[in-house]
Amino acid sequence: MFFYLYKVYFFEIKNFIKIYYSSIIKLGIILLILTIVFEVIYFAFYSYYSYSKLQIETVKQERKQIELQLNALKSQLSPHFLFNSLNTISSLIYKDESSAEVFIRRLAKMYDFTLKSYHQKLITLQEEIDFVNAYIYLIQTRFKDKFSCIISIEDDVLETKIPPLTLQMLVENAVKHNQMAINTPLLISIKSNGFEVIVENNITKGPKNITSFNIGLKNIEARYLLIADKTVSIIKDEKFIVKLPLIR
């Protein structure tokens, strides 16, 4: 249609352009300026929207992380654990004062670490192992030969990262969901293969009136997905095995 009109009314169009040339140029400049202004305003609004959306998502993730940390903290500060620890202390005081003193110091170290790591998303594997060793001492003091935990971690992975209270929650779950006896002790091993920490324990008869909702495992899985976008491997066969990815 354009070429048809141009061909038929060539002279009229040519004269029109010649007469209104300056007006056409001005109109083109005005349209160009309006287009630039529109693009700048649109870009500003779009950038603000994207920034606001990112800030909201960041706040949501931080809030979810805090909730998960709180759940882990509640698990560690459970009245049941504290009650058992105080009972152990009261019995040790009359039998072995030095052991009671060490027990109290390890318990204090545990709670101090728990409160300090509350706001931390990640800690070094070395810090977590130091904390777990304190917890293991408390459990071994209570159960003696009915409980054993062996930790064998290579030195080159000790500075890698892990969510706080992760190993402790796994050891605590094993203690909670397995009965311990001299002939059927609970055996836990914590080791690494260079890119994972592997926590495994034998499965004994489960205690009565204990229902497992896997809250601790779900907490660990959620924190790994949120912080590092990594998955935790859980295997339950002859042994219960949890593989935790190391974060570098």
Side-chain angles (χ1 to χ4, degrees), residues 3-212:
F3 283 111
Y4 173 77
L5 292 173
Y6 186 79
K7 183 178 180 181
V8 174
Y9 300 102
F10 173 74
F11 293 105
E12 287 81 353
I13 294 173
K14 186 176 180 181
N15 291 332
F16 176 84
I17 294 174
K18 187 176 181 181
I19 295 170
Y20 298 102
Y21 179 79
S22 61
S23 299
I24 292 172
I25 294 298
K26 291 176 182 178
L27 179 63
I29 293 172
I30 291 171
L31 290 175
L32 177 63
I33 292 172
L34 289 175
T35 302
I36 293 172
V37 170
F38 172 79
E39 290 294 334
V40 170
I41 293 172
Y42 175 80
F43 178 76
F45 275 106
Y46 180 78
S47 298
Y48 178 76
Y49 170 78
S50 299
Y51 175 77
S52 301
K53 188 176 180 181
L54 179 63
Q55 290 296 101
I56 291 171
E57 289 298 322
T58 302
V59 170
K60 284 181 178 179
Q61 285 196 350
E62 288 179 352
R63 182 175 179 179
K64 188 174 181 180
Q65 175 64 27
I66 289 172
E67 288 176 355
L68 291 171
Q69 295 286 84
L70 266 176
N71 290 334
L73 182 64
K74 287 177 183 178
S75 172
Q76 181 55 43
L77 300 177
S78 65
H80 180 72
F81 172 75
L82 185 59
F83 176 76
N84 288 333
S85 298
L86 292 176
N87 276 339
T88 304
I89 292 170
S90 64
S91 63
L92 283 174
I93 287 175
Y94 296 102
K95 297 177 183 178
D96 189 345
E97 289 186 6
S98 61
S99 296
E101 183 182 356
V102 174
F103 189 94
I104 292 170
R105 290 184 182 278
R106 296 291 178 95
L107 183 63
K109 181 180 179 180
M110 269 189 57
Y111 279 100
D112 180 61
F113 175 87
T114 301
L115 295 172
K116 286 180 179 178
S117 64
Y118 162 62
H119 288 293
Q120 293 180 271
K121 294 180 180 180
L122 295 169
I123 60 173
T124 64
L125 184 57
Q126 180 67 69
E127 291 174 309
E128 180 72 7
I129 289 173
D130 291 341
F131 172 66
V132 170
N133 280 326
Y135 180 74
I136 289 171
Y137 178 83
L138 304 186
I139 301 301
Q140 284 181 328
T141 303
R142 280 179 57 200
F143 295 103
K144 304 297 182 181
D145 296 334
K146 300 175 185 177
F147 173 84
S148 175
C149 182
I150 299 173
I151 300 177
S152 55
I153 303 290
E154 293 84 355
D155 292 339
D156 58 342
V157 299
L158 290 176
E159 294 304 314
T160 56
K161 302 291 185 177
I162 192 171
L165 307 178
T166 303
L167 295 180
Q168 183 275 331
M169 291 179 75
L170 293 177
V171 175
E172 183 181 25
N173 278 351
V175 172
K176 182 179 178 181
H177 297 293
N178 291 279
Q179 287 187 2
M180 286 173 271
I182 295 295
N183 56 339
T184 56
L186 177 62
L187 307 174
I188 302 175
S189 74
I190 302 174
K191 56 189 178 182
S192 67
N193 56 12
F195 57 93
E196 290 175 322
V197 174
I198 303 168
V199 182
E200 65 177 49
N201 63 270
N202 60 322
I203 300 174
T204 67
K205 185 179 179 181
K208 295 180 180 179
N209 302 322
I210 294 292
T211 303
S212 175

Side-chain angles (χ1 to χ4, degrees), residues 64-65 68-69 71-72 162-167 169-170 173 213-235 240-245 247:
K64 188 174 181 180
Q65 175 64 27
L68 291 171
Q69 295 286 84
N71 290 334
I162 192 171
L165 307 178
T166 303
L167 295 180
M169 291 179 75
L170 293 177
N173 278 351
F213 296 102
N214 294 322
I215 295 174
L217 289 174
K218 289 178 182 178
N219 181 286
I220 293 170
E221 289 178 310
R223 282 195 287 164
Y224 261 97
L225 283 174
L226 185 65
I227 296 171
D229 195 25
K230 293 179 180 290
T231 56
V232 176
S233 177
I234 301 171
I235 303 168
F240 190 80
I241 305 171
V242 179
K243 296 181 179 181
L244 305 169
I247 301 170

